[in-house]
Amino acid sequence: MLELARPHADVRADALAFTLDEPGREPQAQRVRRVAGMEVDLRLLGSGHQVLAGTVVETVAQLDDLDGPLPYQLRREVSGWSYGFTADVYRRDYADFTRAVDFLRRYLSGRDDTLAAGFPGQPDALSGVMIRQVRRGLEWRAWHTFPVTRQIVSTRSRMLIG
């Protein structure tokens, strides 16, 4: 797992916004993979992530011009793809939050299909995106942890051939 150079931007989960219209942003970490014949660019931002897959640019982050919270569920047709997004936010007590972060750190570390990173000075702050091929398309999952509020954001996105 990488450690990012910049400190974690500890926003609340409800400050994260979702858009498919944001241009590519400068990442703190990046991994480009070819999955299901498509180049997919996984990016970790200061307080979220971006995934660029074909014409889809999914952004989940704190954005100056767009307010949160994340949609619970969303479906759209995008350039011939059936795109779906779901988000869940979990708030944990201290012990459970620490255990969940430890699990995520182990789960996301050392994988070829994942971009994951921790933040300096905050062992319970991490972000990760995992991509895989599914029948008829792609699926990616992302996790972001917020130690101050003990929140874990979990998202799942799917692009399926329409």
Side-chain angles (χ1 to χ4, degrees):
M1 181 172 295
L2 302 171
E3 181 162 318
L4 300 178
R6 285 187 251 164
H8 184 251
D10 197 22
V11 299
R12 293 179 57 87
D14 60 6
L16 294 181
F18 167 88
T19 181
L20 294 173
D21 301 322
E22 185 78 11
R25 296 181 143 229
E26 185 68 28
Q28 289 192 30
Q30 181 175 21
R31 173 175 262 177
V32 178
R33 302 218 0 131
R34 190 152 195 83
V35 181
M38 180 182 296
E39 188 169 285
V40 180
D41 186 351
L42 306 175
R43 297 178 178 192
L44 295 181
L45 308 175
S47 63
H49 72 270
Q50 266 189 328
V51 175
L52 290 72
T55 58
V56 170
V57 179
E58 175 190 282
T59 306
V60 171
Q62 184 177 11
L63 302 170
D64 294 334
D65 55 342
L66 191 61
D67 293 329
L70 297 172
Y72 174 71
Q73 188 171 34
L74 177 101
R75 301 256 182 260
R76 286 197 185 148
E77 294 299 316
V78 181
S79 301
W81 292 90
S82 175
Y83 171 85
F85 174 86
T86 59
D88 290 299
V89 178
Y90 304 97
R91 184 173 170 99
R92 306 287 191 201
D93 66 30
Y94 179 78
D96 193 36
F97 179 81
T98 302
R99 279 191 300 271
V101 171
D102 288 344
F103 170 81
L104 282 172
R105 188 175 304 283
R106 286 190 311 273
Y107 182 66
L108 297 172
S109 291
R111 298 176 64 119
D112 290 338
D113 59 354
T114 299
L115 173 63
F119 295 85
Q122 292 190 298
D124 287 341
L126 67 86
S127 289
V129 184
M130 178 174 39
I131 182 104
R132 69 183 183 126
Q133 181 174 347
V134 295
R135 191 169 167 216
R136 297 185 18 225
L138 306 171
E139 175 182 80
W140 59 89
R141 303 215 39 207
W143 296 269
H144 304 285
T145 66
F146 299 95
V148 171
T149 57
R150 295 186 317 274
Q151 292 174 304
I152 300 171
V153 174
S154 172
T155 68
R156 178 178 153 202
S157 304
R158 281 187 161 211
M159 280 178 52
L160 302 176
I161 294 171

